Amino acid sequence: MRIFNKIVVVLLLAGLTALGVCLLVYALNIDPYRLEDLPRVLGLGVFYESLRGYIGVVENGNLDVLEIATLVLIAFVGLILLLLEFKPPTPRRVRMQRGTYITRSVVEKEANAAVEQEHEVLQSNVKVKAQRKPGAKVDITASVRPGEDARSVQSGVKNRVQDYMSETGIPVSNLKVQVREADPRQTETRVK
Amino acid sequence: MDDDLRLARAASEAALATEGVHALGTGRYAEAATYGPGEKVVGVVVNPNEVRVHIIARYPPPEPLPALAERIRERVAQRAQGRATTVVVEDVEVSPVANL
């Protein structure tokens, strides 16, 4: 959301700057740039007329279904963006207790170390998200050889990560493990 | 400014003296440090309202990391002159004596 906001603000500021430069150049009234020509150059007259016409159509209730759907969609998107704007940002660090935090990279490293202990796992991908409540949200994707029992590997990985994390005391509030089959020639480890 | 530096030095010493702390961290995106004239204390950020200590824990830790962080927080809080104290475990480093 922050990136989206930044893009919108950058575009808005770029537009305002360009408009400001135009206004400055035309305000000097140097031939052929005259201030009275600026609305025509920018096409503001046509824009105003189109807008006035459209507002008239809306006021008279002469909209077709597609236009109504578009307006509803715009309003809906605006509402969603507004709600997202009110949502507080996700914290960067994982909260352990009051006033104590651990970085996501440490949680990721430790989770990776735990997953790599499983013999069936050839490669793992760990994603960690901090939450406003204590504990991290950990998503693990473990790659195994084709034909392995995915269900037992999944529960094995989950148990191992939970044990390992509780040993070190790293709080994990949400742990998800996915197992996918992969070609051993394309994974980090071929044999364990 | 001098007070902040003195406080940062005290917090740094308190954190480093805690068993299980390998070193102080340097921050990830921005340097975690307190700056003064001709000097900086890396690993401790002193703000008007907060003292934040970045640590690198020793592996294996002598106690679970939340307990270690809490112990450091308590030690630093005694020197924090009433400011809120935060401890961030930035990394875990394998101790050279650990037989791993």
Side-chain angles (χ1 to χ4, degrees):
Chain A
M1 194 55 200
R2 281 181 180 178
I3 291 170
F4 178 79
N5 286 352
K6 275 186 184 171
I7 291 169
V8 170
V9 170
V10 165
L11 289 176
L12 193 69
L13 290 178
L16 285 175
T17 307
L19 204 62
V21 170
C22 274
L23 198 63
L24 189 70
V25 170
Y26 277 79
L28 294 174
N29 277 334
I30 304 166
D31 274 337
Y33 305 112
R34 300 255 166 223
L35 194 55
E36 59 264 27
D37 296 337
L38 190 58
R40 186 180 47 78
V41 172
L42 293 175
L44 291 180
V46 179
F47 176 72
Y48 285 146
E49 280 310 311
S50 311
L51 192 64
R52 192 172 295 159
Y54 190 72
I55 296 294
V57 170
V58 173
E59 280 176 347
N60 295 332
N62 296 332
L63 292 172
D64 60 24
V65 179
L66 190 69
E67 284 174 325
I68 291 171
T70 310
L71 288 176
V72 168
L73 187 72
I74 290 170
F76 194 63
V77 169
L79 187 66
I80 289 173
L81 290 176
L82 183 69
L83 289 177
L84 285 176
E85 193 58 42
F86 283 129
K87 198 179 149 196
T90 311
R92 281 188 298 145
R93 303 185 186 106
V94 176
R95 194 172 141 206
M96 294 195 286
Q97 291 169 355
R98 194 173 145 268
T100 59
Y101 298 85
I102 188 164
T103 56
R104 283 177 293 152
S105 59
V106 175
V107 181
E108 199 176 302
K109 207 160 92 175
E110 294 301 304
N112 232 331
V115 178
E116 296 289 324
Q117 287 178 2
E118 281 289 308
H119 290 290
E120 292 88 353
V121 177
L122 301 175
Q123 185 180 302
S124 62
N125 181 23
V126 179
K127 283 182 185 164
V128 176
K129 269 189 184 175
Q131 301 176 109
R132 276 184 287 282
K133 60 181 180 180
K137 182 173 183 259
V138 181
D139 286 331
I140 297 171
T141 308
S143 303
V144 296
R145 289 171 180 278
E148 292 277 7
D149 183 0
R151 200 172 283 263
S152 74
V153 173
Q154 190 182 31
S155 66
V157 168
K158 202 165 185 173
N159 290 339
R160 193 176 283 273
V161 171
Q162 276 169 344
D163 291 348
Y164 193 89
M165 293 305 213
S166 59
E167 258 176 44
T168 49
I170 296 173
V172 176
S173 60
N174 193 341
L175 174 63
K176 277 185 191 163
V177 179
Q178 277 189 325
V179 176
R180 67 177 183 88
E181 293 185 345
D183 186 344
R185 289 171 296 184
Q186 291 170 354
T187 54
E188 284 171 7
T189 316
R190 282 191 191 186
V191 185
K192 275 194 175 173
Chain B
M1 186 65 86
D2 280 353
D3 276 356
D4 284 358
L5 264 184
R6 209 171 299 133
L7 179 52
R9 275 197 294 267
S12 166
E13 282 164 16
L16 285 170
T18 311
E19 196 200 345
V21 175
H22 177 80
L24 292 185
T26 55
R28 191 166 180 192
Y29 300 111
E31 188 178 46
T34 302
Y35 302 92
E39 189 189 352
K40 68 175 177 180
V41 179
V42 178
V44 182
V45 181
V46 176
N47 293 326
N49 304 319
E50 186 195 28
V51 178
R52 193 171 70 239
V53 184
H54 292 243
I55 64 142
I56 298 173
R58 200 183 67 214
Y59 190 87
E63 57 194 321
L65 289 175
L68 173 66
E70 182 56 30
R71 201 149 54 86
I72 298 165
R73 201 183 72 79
E74 281 169 5
R75 293 183 76 151
V76 173
Q78 290 168 6
R79 297 161 171 83
Q81 298 167 357
R83 303 182 206 202
T85 311
T86 305
V87 175
V88 179
V89 180
E90 208 173 84
D91 206 349
V92 179
E93 192 74 33
V94 177
S95 163
V97 291
N99 193 16
L100 296 172

